[in-house]
Amino acid sequence: MATTPETPQVYSPSAEFVAAANMKGHAEVARQAELDLPGFWGARAAEFEWFKPWDNVLDESNKPFYKWFVGGKVNIVYNCLDRHIKTWRRNKLALIWEGEKGEVRTFSYHALNREVCKFANVLRSMGVKKGDRVTIYMGRVPELPMAMLACAKIGAVHSVVYGGFSVEALHGRIDDSQSHVVITCDGGYMNGKIVELKRIVDEALKRCATVENVVVVKRTGHEVPMESGRDFWYHDLLNLPMARASTSETEVMDAEDPLYLLYTSGTTGKPKAILHTHGGYMVGVATTLKWVFDVKEEDRWWCTADPGWVTGHSYLVYGPLLLGATSFMYEGAPTFPYPNRWWSMIEKYGITLLYTAPTAIRGLMRFGEAWPNRHDLSSLRLLGSVGEPINPEAWRWYHRVIGKERCPIMDTWWQTETGMFAITPLPTMDLKPGSAARPFPGMEADVYTEAGTSAAVGEEGFLVLKRPWPAMLRTLYKDPQRYQDQYWSKYPGVYFTGDSARKDADGYFWIIGRVDDVIKVSGYRLGTAEIESALVSHPAVAEAAAIGLPHEVKGSAIYTYVMLRTNYEPSEALAEELKAHVGHEVGPIAKPEKVSFVPSLPKTRSGKIMRRVLKARAQGLPEGDLSTLEE
Ligand code: WTA
């Protein structure tokens, strides 16, 4: 077995890297931002084209409903597309796409703009107006970013639902957003199999009254039912005279107008939608990407995330286009048909910047080094990680085997709510494997004790953010009260992240994990409530609880505890049926690892299930304070 040299705890970037980086003098930049937050973000915003400049960078008059770039008129899509096609970037590649079967499609900025304009014209002629919500439920095909951009261009608010979600999850999200239009595909390819997207939409729509039209992108070509008058093929619509014009006016938006909704599971079975806006989001996302990933004109950026999650929104779709970068997008599974698929594409397309999740790294690590070693990965110059804490072992493998010890790793901590990186290294900083380093310039983070004081160095506590930032969520859609309660009331005036963390003597943050009802499975964010409500919708189930337990590849896996109704007997077959039921209702990613039948669940006197007790018992740990336990 090959031996690896003893690796030092701190990795410093090379002098050449530092000299060439977009970010110069990060400590001074952070100091300036701290002294003058509006000045700092105002200077970043000035790098974009505004229809009308803002009057005021930050309005803090109605906390926690912060407003950014107040009075400014802008459209994020204008800065993603219109702005570039006026320059030489018109003929630069915006997007390179590879299908799971190996097909390749490429789009210059000119071509991408043309497609987006045509589809924007179609949406307008369907009656979609500024402020209307549109649900997008698709596989990873180029038409997915195009649909998002077309919505934003005309001022509609997109709500992308991850294509791995299923009927009930989709139904809840369409229903809550009151979308009139749904954009989908006949199916998607994943692991050589067809994912039924249109059929799931059809099932979900049986229960949604608002939807008038469904636009269907033909991807697989397999037979799907089309309802006359309601369902239309995307390619047919794009051939209509109304779509033909390859220009389309970009709507003038207020900086604070909504750009999109993104649903995450909340503490009740009902999902909640996080709302982001045009102006501040644009400035935050572009600045973080440019500095943290050092994106340059000649780079080829690959963010492996699905556009259905926030990472895809911020750093696959909007961020790279704002920077005029070339992105790569891949449709399918990392191991299809062999575990070298990703590495072969890095070689084929000369990817320079790779941004992925620890679960993917751990998953690919299991197949051994021979797979990546077959490929020339020398184009890579910077790597990234997101979604969950990266364990030092995976960090070192990524650094040594993929980055050949040349590429710094950006372990970016952020959330759907933050919209942009919040705690992250900059490529010019020293790195510690497993630490997300420091707050991005302009951000202020801390670790709090239960009582709301700063925790001591090395002490575990709650991660909080203490100053507003431009890409922050503005509210929870239709539920401003819940926005205040959930994020701003544990410590008044301070943003509560829901994570626990430690800070070391150098001020580096070490994220530990969620302290609430969120479970991160393979980096995907799921709520215990959505899984539990799927379980109790099965006739055999009286009550259910879901918890996350550590898993070698997935980070955490879902374990469920089920109390059966009288007349039902525990059995292996019933456990399997319940797993499949959750898969059908929520999606395959939510399928429990295990279903345990129990005679009762630990509850507080007020009837709340004490998941932390279940978690402690399952791991053989002390159960902590049980004074509120009913029995
Ligand atoms: C977790 C994903 C450790 C964290 C962008 C956070 C991380 C949640 C990291 C948000 C990281 C994300 N290190 N944990 N680098 N990045 N997380 O909304 O628990 O899907 O609160 O956003 O993911 O998940 P979300």
Side-chain angles (χ1 to χ4, degrees):
M1 215 178 89
T3 52
T4 52
E6 202 38 48
T7 8
Q9 233 13 71
V10 175
Y11 294 75
S12 304
S14 70
E16 300 94 278
F17 199 106
V18 174
N22 285 339
M23 161 52 64
K24 303 265 180 266
H26 60 252
E28 182 52 25
V29 172
R31 207 179 64 85
Q32 287 300 333
E34 191 182 329
L35 292 175
D36 178 11
L37 193 66
F40 171 75
W41 284 115
R44 309 283 83 74
E47 292 172 18
F48 296 94
E49 285 190 31
W50 295 73
F51 301 123
K52 174 183 169 289
W54 56 93
D55 306 315
N56 186 1
V57 171
L58 171 62
D59 176 356
E60 303 191 79
S61 60
N62 183 25
K63 294 174 186 178
F65 299 95
Y66 296 91
K67 289 186 180 151
W68 285 85
F69 307 108
V70 183
K73 299 281 182 197
V74 73
N75 187 310
I76 194 169
V77 176
Y78 191 91
N79 283 288
C80 286
L81 297 174
D82 308 46
R83 182 168 61 115
H84 301 310
I85 60 166
K86 295 186 283 183
T87 71
W88 65 272
R89 286 201 197 95
R90 181 182 183 80
N91 295 318
K92 180 178 176 177
L93 283 185
L95 183 65
I96 305 169
W97 175 86
E98 186 169 306
E100 200 180 66
K101 295 172 154 189
E103 321 88 303
V104 180
R105 294 168 72 192
T106 57
F107 299 87
S108 64
Y109 273 88
H110 166 75
L112 182 62
N113 181 61
R114 191 189 54 212
E115 296 300 308
V116 169
C117 285
K118 286 207 242 171
F119 193 47
N121 290 335
V122 167
L123 290 175
R124 275 202 180 106
S125 64
M126 286 182 141
V128 179
K129 298 181 306 298
K130 195 169 175 167
D132 289 353
R133 279 80 53 215
V134 173
T135 298
I136 301 176
Y137 178 71
M138 300 171 79
R140 262 192 312 251
V141 289
E143 286 79 6
L144 170 44
M146 288 171 193
M148 294 165 69
L149 293 161
C151 287
K153 185 180 175 76
I154 66 170
V157 181
H158 58 72
S159 163
V160 182
V161 179
Y162 171 56
F165 276 128
S166 198
V167 180
E168 189 47 44
L170 177 61
H171 162 251
R173 286 157 173 79
I174 296 175
D175 204 43
D176 187 74
S177 67
Q178 302 274 293
S179 295
H180 295 284
V181 173
V182 174
I183 307 165
T184 189
C185 299
D186 49 358
Y189 286 113
M190 191 52 74
N191 260 317
K193 295 194 212 64
I194 287 180
V195 182
E196 295 287 351
L197 295 166
K198 174 63 166 62
R199 285 175 194 274
I200 290 177
V201 169
D202 287 342
E203 256 197 78
L205 290 194
K206 285 183 191 153
R207 290 178 264 169
C208 296
T210 55
V211 176
E212 288 156 15
N213 290 125
V214 180
V215 179
V216 188
V217 172
K218 190 172 247 168
R219 167 62 186 131
T220 56
H222 76 301
E223 178 79 30
V224 292
M226 294 290 280
E227 191 180 304
S228 160
R230 186 194 73 180
D231 303 349
F232 297 93
W233 289 106
Y234 180 89
H235 58 267
D236 286 341
L237 294 171
L238 256 66
N239 277 327
L240 296 176
M242 66 192 182
R244 280 225 199 97
S246 49
T247 58
S248 169
E249 208 187 313
T250 304
E251 198 74 35
V252 175
M253 305 298 285
D254 196 277
E256 281 290 306
D257 276 338
L259 169 64
Y260 67 78
L261 302 179
L262 193 50
Y263 284 88
T264 71
S265 331
T267 42
T268 65
K270 202 167 130 53
K272 58 172 197 226
I274 283 158
L275 185 132
H276 284 293
T277 56
H278 275 258
Y281 179 79
M282 168 182 90
V283 175
V285 164
T287 306
T288 46
L289 182 61
K290 179 171 163 186
W291 285 356
V292 175
F293 281 97
D294 198 43
V295 179
K296 305 228 170 66
E297 284 300 352
E298 60 275 24
D299 273 313
R300 286 212 165 163
W301 164 251
W302 182 14
C303 165
T304 68
D306 191 283
W309 301 88
V310 75
T311 308
H313 281 62
S314 295
Y315 298 111
L316 192 156
V317 179
Y318 290 111
L321 293 175
L322 285 167
L323 299 181
T326 301
S327 271
F328 173 66
M329 178 175 173
Y330 167 58
E331 177 183 42
T335 50
F336 188 85
Y338 301 110
N340 66 330
R341 181 65 183 266
W342 275 16
W343 319 128
S344 74
M345 293 187 300
I346 289 171
E347 178 173 8
K348 178 173 172 189
Y349 298 105
I351 303 296
T352 57
L353 310 169
L354 173 68
Y355 186 34
T356 190
T359 181
I361 298 163
R362 289 191 298 263
L364 290 165
M365 221 170 117
R366 282 190 312 169
F367 294 100
E369 290 175 34
W371 292 102
N373 286 347
R374 273 206 223 162
H375 296 277
D376 177 4
L377 304 180
S378 62
S379 58
L380 289 172
R381 65 182 195 90
L382 194 62
L383 304 172
S385 169
V386 62
E388 45 168 328
I390 179 163
N391 47 313
E393 190 199 355
W395 196 101
R396 292 204 180 88
W397 189 86
Y398 195 27
H399 189 254
R400 180 174 59 82
V401 179
I402 307 307
K404 310 294 177 204
E405 298 182 335
R406 273 183 300 107
C407 307
I409 298 177
M410 302 296 101
D411 177 1
T412 61
W413 178 91
W414 59 296
Q415 311 178 295
T416 308
E417 291 85 345
T418 69
M420 65 183 222
F421 309 148
I423 302 178
T424 174
L426 287 161
T428 49
M429 277 181 184
D430 286 345
L431 302 172
K432 303 185 189 188
S435 167
R438 293 167 186 271
F440 189 79
M443 305 290 297
E444 194 187 336
D446 201 357
V447 176
Y448 271 14
T449 63
E450 186 65 46
T453 55
S454 289
V457 167
E459 187 188 348
E460 180 175 341
F462 300 109
L463 182 66
V464 296
L465 301 175
K466 297 174 68 176
R467 290 184 94 176
W469 62 99
M472 66 197 298
L473 78 164
R474 295 302 191 267
T475 190
L476 293 176
Y477 180 59
K478 297 194 294 199
D479 204 348
Q481 188 59 46
R482 192 165 166 199
Y483 165 70
Q484 300 199 47
D485 294 346
Q486 184 152 346
Y487 302 107
W488 301 94
S489 61
K490 183 167 174 72
Y491 306 113
V494 170
Y495 173 84
F496 176 64
T497 63
D499 277 18
S500 62
R502 286 184 290 115
K503 212 162 84 169
D504 70 16
D506 298 324
Y508 275 47
F509 285 77
W510 297 76
I511 312 296
I512 297 165
R514 302 291 307 195
V515 291
D516 57 4
D517 300 339
V518 171
I519 309 179
K520 297 283 318 241
V521 182
S522 302
Y524 295 125
R525 177 167 169 170
L526 296 167
T528 52
E530 213 166 357
I531 300 159
E532 289 161 3
S533 83
L535 281 169
V536 296
S537 74
H538 188 280
V541 178
E543 284 191 74
I547 58 168
L549 291 177
H551 184 279
E552 209 180 317
V553 175
K554 297 177 183 174
S556 351
I558 300 167
Y559 284 71
T560 57
Y561 299 84
V562 166
M563 269 168 69
L564 291 176
R565 288 182 191 281
T566 42
N567 303 332
Y568 286 91
E569 288 300 319
S571 71
E572 213 27 62
L574 183 56
E576 288 309 312
E577 187 180 324
L578 292 176
K579 285 185 200 173
H581 179 72
V582 176
H584 180 261
E585 292 289 303
V586 186
I589 46 164
K591 259 193 193 171
E593 198 78 7
K594 191 162 183 224
V595 174
S596 307
F597 297 105
V598 290
S600 67
L601 289 167
K603 283 192 192 156
T604 61
R605 277 176 214 108
S606 57
K608 239 183 106 192
I609 296 170
M610 294 179 81
R611 292 190 193 81
R612 71 171 169 82
V613 172
L614 286 169
K615 219 166 156 162
R617 280 183 196 163
Q619 295 177 280
L621 299 170
E623 292 176 13
D625 178 11
L626 296 181
S627 56
T628 54
L629 190 69
E630 184 197 36
E631 47 186 273

